[in-house]
Amino acid sequence: MRVIERLVLAVEKPLKEAIWDCQMCGQCILHSTGLSCPMRCPKNLRNGPCGGVRPDGNCEVYADKRCVWVEAWEGSQRLPVFKSHIHHLQKPVDWQLQGTSSWINLLSGRDGKAPLGWSPHPALPQRGRVSEGE
Amino acid sequence: MTSQSRLAGLLREGRFVVTAELSSSDSADPEATWRQAEVLRGSVDAINCTDNTGAHVHMSSLAAAHLLVEKGIEPIMQLTVRDRNRLALQADLLGAAALGVRNLVLMSGDDVTAGDHPEARRIYDIDSMQLLEVAAAMRDRGTYLSGRKLEQAPTFFIGAVENPFAPPLEFRPLRLQKKVRAGADFIQTQLVFDVRLFAHFMAMVADLGLVGKVFIIPSIGIPRSARSAHFMREKVPGLHVPESLVARLERTPQARQAEEGVKIAVELVNAVREIPGVSGVHLIGIKWEEGVVQVAEAAGLLPRPTLSPLVSAGGRG
Ligand code: SF4
């Protein structure tokens, strides 16, 4: 298993880093964020931009870089299938997965595991929530 | 369980509420906090205690909020995800509830590089959206994020922030909708100077069917001088202060700039009041509590209403 994981990582890491500047959080949500990696946001925001985005669309922290979420919003509007996924409520990051293969975590279901108290968890009664769209 | 949020009660009664921001304290003496709060007493319905605002260290919002509770003044405790991980956040939420804090405003927070400890490590373990969900779950299901049960669930009136003026503009109302789904009962917005843009934002919010589901309280800044307006324009992240406003204050003789600032704020209060879906105003006089009182007075917002007895608040409306 170790060997397989290392082999997968040898492909995944350079590929995703080159294309998306992936930060290897091990729980990929690129399809929900217009293919803009949210972990590049200095505040690690997974659910949308902060209030500090500059008038020109650049990041509050890095004045010379586009806000990751401005790119995410634009990107999401171009995605044919996953367009509405930007409105999904993303669960807290599992920091134990940092540096592991998101592909393996996807296949094993490991990246879908939310803390037990996180509301969409099936084992718990739902609060009266509006449906999240498709 | 003890008392409920008065702020929630007033909003649910359909009152136009007034909140204000307490200048954060750098004093180990509680009198400093109480002195400022006393200026605001009677002129506002609840007072925000900020959490290391602008990423500058000050007395914790939890302590300041408790000091207000002690004096019978209702606090709104701000909490950012910048300085605490999920354990510390939940611990402070529960502690706040036990100390009598009923209103929360949960947010990302200005980045550490904007403050006086730019070399600090950022936390951002969870984001502001997730913190809303966590606080709502503590209240509604009585559990921590881990799923472990609380002995007694808190009764929170949960607030969030939104900046209608920051890109991507079309995404902002949708993000607000997401916050409502995550658990926000009310929203305090970024300072409004551009009323037209704000009205446009509110129209989009109304189109999403959110009016009536969430109380929206725009912030109104009270510039004390041309210099402070200029500072806000240049230095505060996410703030869009029009050049014309700075110019208007610069044209005013120095001795009368504070008065002009109050006038500007009153004009803004009157303008946002007309916009459908606006439930109140949040007045921010930077280090200037007296300015808040003057604006509340001049805008005809005084006296503040008392809550009819037996109004039950808490939980989701
Ligand atoms: S401006 Fe955008 S990228 Fe920068 S911290 Fe805020 S959300 Fe993140």
Side-chain angles (χ1 to χ4, degrees):
Chain A
M1 192 58 205
R2 264 281 170 70
V3 183
I4 297 174
E5 171 142 21
R6 286 239 288 278
L7 282 173
V8 174
L9 269 176
V11 181
E12 179 180 351
K13 197 163 181 278
L15 190 77
K16 287 178 71 177
E17 282 177 352
I19 304 178
W20 293 297
D21 192 14
C22 164
Q23 306 290 304
M24 298 301 291
C25 71
Q27 47 217 298
C28 194
I29 54 167
L30 275 173
H31 64 282
S32 298
T33 58
L35 302 180
S36 168
C37 169
M39 300 316 273
R40 293 176 305 147
C41 166
K43 302 186 184 180
N44 290 155
L45 302 182
R46 306 265 288 189
N47 281 293
C50 73
V53 186
R54 292 165 193 264
D56 62 0
N58 280 5
C59 172
E60 171 193 328
V61 183
Y62 304 115
D64 53 341
K65 277 199 207 156
R66 293 266 288 163
C67 164
V68 165
W69 276 97
V70 168
E71 287 181 347
W73 170 249
E74 291 168 2
S76 74
Q77 296 310 290
R78 284 193 298 264
L79 286 182
V81 183
F82 297 110
K83 195 169 169 169
S84 68
H85 283 214
I86 195 161
H87 304 306
H88 289 182
L89 183 61
Q90 300 294 343
K91 64 181 188 296
V93 170
D94 180 348
W95 295 98
Q96 300 171 103
L97 297 182
Q98 184 68 43
T100 62
S101 162
S102 73
W103 292 347
I104 291 179
N105 294 336
L106 177 69
L107 289 176
S108 70
R110 177 70 175 82
D111 73 349
K113 253 181 66 190
L116 217 60
W118 184 248
S119 97
H121 200 283
L124 287 165
Q126 296 279 307
R127 285 186 291 113
R129 66 171 45 247
V130 197
S131 107
E132 302 252 343
E134 89 276 22
Chain B
M1 199 68 196
T2 44
S3 65
Q4 305 274 2
S5 160
R6 237 185 109 254
L7 180 68
L10 288 171
L11 283 164
R12 289 181 180 133
E13 276 186 7
R15 308 299 182 110
F16 189 83
V17 301
V18 182
T19 59
E21 205 142 302
L22 193 73
S23 305
S24 17
S25 168
D26 293 314
S27 171
D29 182 357
E31 285 297 338
T33 299
W34 287 332
R35 259 198 310 275
Q36 292 170 8
E38 283 307 328
V39 177
L40 295 170
R41 191 196 285 272
S43 297
V44 301
D45 301 311
I47 300 179
N48 280 49
C49 300
T50 56
D51 181 10
N52 290 342
T53 179
H56 288 68
V57 186
H58 300 288
M59 181 194 288
S60 74
S61 58
L62 174 55
H66 181 234
L67 290 176
L68 297 198
V69 170
E70 273 188 0
K71 293 290 175 186
I73 297 176
E74 185 160 302
I76 300 171
M77 184 179 85
Q78 297 188 182
L79 205 56
T80 73
V81 294
R82 176 194 55 222
D83 308 329
R84 293 173 183 79
N85 71 4
R86 60 192 82 179
L87 279 81
L89 288 165
Q90 294 177 91
D92 280 354
L93 285 175
L94 190 62
L99 290 172
V101 177
R102 297 293 170 261
N103 309 303
L104 307 171
V105 168
L106 308 175
M107 56 176 85
S108 319
D110 296 325
D111 188 66
V112 291
T113 49
D116 61 350
H117 292 66
E119 59 292 283
R121 177 169 188 158
R122 314 181 167 98
I123 304 300
Y124 300 116
D125 172 29
I126 59 176
D127 67 26
S128 56
M129 197 74 71
Q130 293 155 352
L131 181 57
L132 286 169
E133 179 72 46
V134 166
M138 286 173 79
R139 175 188 68 189
D140 299 343
R141 285 203 311 261
T143 61
Y144 293 112
L145 179 58
S146 65
R148 190 155 53 83
K149 272 237 158 293
L150 295 165
E151 232 166 77
Q152 166 80 60
T155 56
F156 286 137
F157 187 50
I158 303 176
V161 294
E162 187 51 79
N163 185 350
F165 314 106
L169 294 182
E170 329 79 77
F171 189 35
R172 293 289 162 180
L174 293 159
R175 183 164 170 271
L176 186 143
Q177 179 179 47
K178 196 170 177 180
K179 287 193 168 177
V180 175
R181 286 173 182 170
D185 301 308
F186 71 103
I187 303 281
Q188 289 180 328
T189 74
Q190 180 55 281
L191 290 176
V192 176
F193 289 109
D194 187 337
V195 176
R196 264 197 36 216
L197 196 52
F198 179 66
H200 181 65
F201 168 82
M202 285 302 296
M204 291 193 284
V205 167
D207 283 346
L208 289 170
L210 293 174
V211 173
K213 281 197 189 136
V214 63
F215 301 105
I216 298 182
I217 304 173
S219 297
I220 304 294
I222 314 167
R224 194 176 191 172
S225 62
R227 239 190 61 220
S228 79
H230 187 80
F231 173 83
M232 286 195 283
R233 185 179 157 81
E234 300 299 319
K235 290 274 162 353
V236 183
L239 207 57
H240 300 181
V241 184
E243 189 54 61
S244 59
L245 187 143
V246 182
R248 176 170 162 186
L249 283 163
E250 272 165 355
R251 277 198 309 273
T252 311
Q254 196 133 29
R256 286 195 30 245
Q257 283 180 358
E259 199 184 309
E260 192 68 14
V262 168
K263 240 167 98 187
I264 290 173
V266 170
E267 288 166 19
L268 288 167
V269 168
N270 289 333
V272 297
R273 262 194 106 146
E274 299 299 314
I275 300 171
V278 170
S279 302
V281 280
H282 178 57
L283 302 176
I284 305 184
I286 298 139
K287 297 244 175 234
W288 193 29
E289 276 73 18
E290 291 78 9
V292 170
V293 178
Q294 288 173 28
V295 170
E297 171 93 70
L301 298 168
L302 302 184
R304 299 307 311 146
T306 44
L307 194 59
S308 352
L310 299 176
V311 172
S312 96
R316 237 169 244 212

